[in-house]
Amino acid sequence: MNRRYSTAPPGAFRISMNLIWGFLPALAFMLVLYLGCSISGDGGTGPGGSGKTELEIKNLAVKDITDTSAVITWNTTTQTVGTVWYSTDSSAMNASRLTPLSTMHNLPIEDLISETTYFFDVVAQEPGGDQAKEKGNLFTTAQAAWMNDSTPPMFIRAAIEGVTSGSALLVWETDDRSWGKVEYGLTTAYGTIITESMTPEKVYYNNHSMIISDLAEDTDYHIRVEAANRRGLTANSADIPFRTLSRPILSISPDTVIVEADEIFTVALHIENAVDIAGLATQISYDFARLQFIQEPMQCPCRFSGPDSSNVCAGPFFCEQGGHIMMPDPIGTLGKIKIEASWYLTMVDFIPVGTEADGGGDIAYLRFRALLPGTATLGFSERDGDQDGKDDTRLLDYNRLPISFRLETGTVIR
């Protein structure tokens, strides 16, 4: 019987099997790697994917809506920071602050208007720069609780905080938002009624102010406020009596000057009966055919914001009453001299309560030369001659209220 034997040397078969068994773990690892790529690649859709989770915004919601705020919440499938863009106009959005890096986001939006629809978009961004957006969302804020207040307003305060010769500044505050109607007159029967704005609709506030104008000088008045809330419930303040001031007098002093030919003379811008004068602007007019304004430096009795000598000098009422700036402008239009002055304000807790410019005296000194014989007038330009929206001569109190005043001109005779 014939037998075929292998010609391989002894032990060769054993060595070959050892090589095969040693290669099996490497083969198994390659198979797992291949299968793993096939399963996870491209979000599980087949071989060749990136293995990255797609960024999505989920579970977007608006919670805790009040009359002035709302909370926007959402989740993302990856770690992101988020921003909410919102506005009452979908074409012009305001950006909120960023949320921290997370997959869960909660962002309050505040200072909103009650009963108003807001449009908003949510933007989520990964640290690497990829973004997801949810656009075209909206919510409506709730009605404010004060709009259904079942009790009348209560006055925290009501007072006159500024009085001039022709006006008064009335301020009041209520515990909830209200709309005001003011009654005033010479007695507690009042007689004149003015209201806060009604166009396009009533506006409700806690703090209110109103200027009462066209009052008579040096006269006693009574005033009170009626406050109404959104439901129409009303309350009245106590009666507030006050007295207007007498009108101050702004004049050229002396009122009559008799001079010789080419004589140089001095006149003063003078004020009397001043109470809480905080600002003055005046334009003095003169007959430039008969009078020449002297623009040469002169020695001044007191200092203001400048050297001791000037072609317009500050007077003692200006300097001694705490005036802090004076701006002469004698080189303007021929026949006119502009002077502006202001005085220190008295402050209490950073609120102006008056000025030191009380009483009377000379504010400024001016020099002229008589040119031709006859009578010339030194007076004031009262109206808005330069069309800047302000009268050429005006007085203001510490509340910047206009003060009604009288004017007295001067006469020069040569």
Side-chain angles (χ1 to χ4, degrees):
M1 180 174 67
N2 296 326
R3 293 185 178 182
R4 183 168 301 189
Y5 295 95
S6 171
T7 58
F13 179 78
R14 188 184 315 116
I15 294 172
S16 298
M17 291 302 296
N18 287 340
L19 288 173
I20 292 172
W21 286 111
F23 182 68
L24 282 176
L27 181 64
F29 174 77
M30 293 176 65
L31 180 62
V32 170
L33 182 63
Y34 172 77
L35 292 175
C37 290
S38 298
I39 294 171
S40 62
D42 196 25
T45 59
S50 64
K52 180 180 178 181
T53 302
E54 183 179 357
L55 171 58
E56 292 183 68
I57 296 174
K58 296 184 175 181
N59 305 322
L60 179 62
V62 184
K63 300 179 179 180
D64 301 327
I65 299 175
T66 71
D67 58 327
T68 60
S69 64
V71 179
I72 313 298
T73 64
W74 69 94
N75 299 334
T76 52
T77 51
T78 64
Q79 296 271 330
T80 63
V81 294
T83 307
V84 174
W85 293 80
Y86 67 98
S87 176
T88 57
D89 181 354
S90 60
S91 63
M93 297 286 198
N94 303 309
S96 67
R97 56 185 173 82
L98 290 174
T99 62
L101 184 66
S102 177
T103 59
M104 301 179 65
H105 302 268
N106 181 302
L107 206 156
I109 301 175
E110 300 176 334
D111 298 324
L112 305 179
I113 303 170
S114 63
E115 296 183 275
T116 302
T117 297
Y118 284 85
F119 301 88
F120 72 96
D121 301 338
V122 175
V123 179
Q125 182 168 320
E126 293 177 327
D130 289 344
Q131 285 188 347
K133 297 181 180 180
E134 284 284 346
K135 304 183 69 175
N137 308 284
L138 56 86
F139 65 90
T140 301
T141 51
Q143 185 182 71
W146 63 267
M147 294 184 178
N148 291 312
D149 193 344
S150 60
T151 60
M154 293 182 59
F155 282 89
I156 297 174
R157 68 182 184 118
I160 295 292
E161 291 202 345
V163 178
T164 74
S165 54
S167 63
L169 174 63
L170 172 65
V171 298
W172 70 95
E173 180 181 357
T174 52
D175 63 334
D176 54 14
R177 298 184 188 183
S178 63
W179 174 83
K181 179 172 66 176
V182 174
E183 300 176 275
Y184 69 95
L186 300 178
T187 69
T188 53
Y190 308 109
T192 302
I193 298 176
I194 54 176
T195 65
E196 293 188 290
S197 174
M198 296 182 64
T199 54
E201 61 182 9
K202 293 179 181 178
V203 181
Y204 296 81
Y205 298 104
N206 293 93
N207 294 286
H208 308 252
S209 66
M210 183 180 292
I211 296 175
I212 314 301
S213 305
D214 299 324
L215 303 178
E217 66 172 311
D218 196 22
T219 302
D220 290 319
Y221 284 92
H222 294 265
I223 195 167
R224 74 175 178 183
V225 184
E226 179 184 284
N229 65 13
R230 185 68 175 260
R231 294 190 66 177
L233 301 174
T234 63
N236 289 322
S237 72
D239 176 69
I240 308 169
F242 68 96
R243 185 178 183 84
T244 55
L245 304 177
S246 297
R247 287 192 294 172
I249 301 171
L250 198 61
S251 64
I252 301 297
S253 178
D255 56 3
T256 302
V257 182
I258 300 175
V259 293
E260 301 293 334
D262 294 326
E263 181 179 344
I264 294 177
F265 61 95
T266 301
V267 295
L269 171 62
H270 188 83
I271 195 166
E272 285 294 335
N273 200 32
V275 177
D276 281 332
I277 301 293
L280 159 72
T282 185
Q283 184 168 271
I284 298 174
S285 58
Y286 63 94
D287 185 351
F288 62 88
R290 297 182 180 277
L291 300 176
Q292 177 189 10
F293 178 69
I294 303 299
Q295 300 188 34
E296 299 171 359
M298 58 186 293
Q299 293 299 316
C300 298
C302 65
R303 292 179 61 92
F304 58 102
S305 56
D308 283 338
S309 61
S310 172
N311 46 19
V312 173
C313 277
F317 181 82
F318 183 84
C319 297
E320 295 171 8
Q321 297 290 342
H324 62 281
I325 187 170
M326 185 172 183
M327 298 174 290
D329 179 20
I331 315 177
T333 305
L334 190 62
K336 298 184 184 300
I337 305 166
K338 293 181 182 179
I339 297 176
E340 296 186 9
S342 57
W343 289 266
Y344 290 127
L345 295 180
T346 301
M347 310 289 287
V348 174
D349 295 330
F350 303 101
I351 298 174
V353 295
T355 78
E356 298 179 19
D358 295 342
D362 294 342
I363 299 173
Y365 298 109
L366 306 90
R367 290 192 303 166
F368 293 88
R369 174 183 284 110
L371 299 177
L372 297 174
T375 300
T377 300
L378 285 166
F380 301 91
S381 300
E382 297 184 60
R383 300 306 175 192
D384 185 8
D386 54 5
Q387 297 181 347
D388 64 350
K390 303 174 183 178
D391 289 344
D392 294 334
T393 298
R394 58 191 181 274
L395 294 176
L396 298 175
D397 79 344
Y398 60 91
N399 283 310
R400 312 306 292 174
L401 293 178
I403 299 172
S404 175
F405 54 89
R406 289 197 294 268
L407 295 173
E408 294 181 357
T409 61
T411 301
V412 179
I413 301 173
R414 186 195 137 182

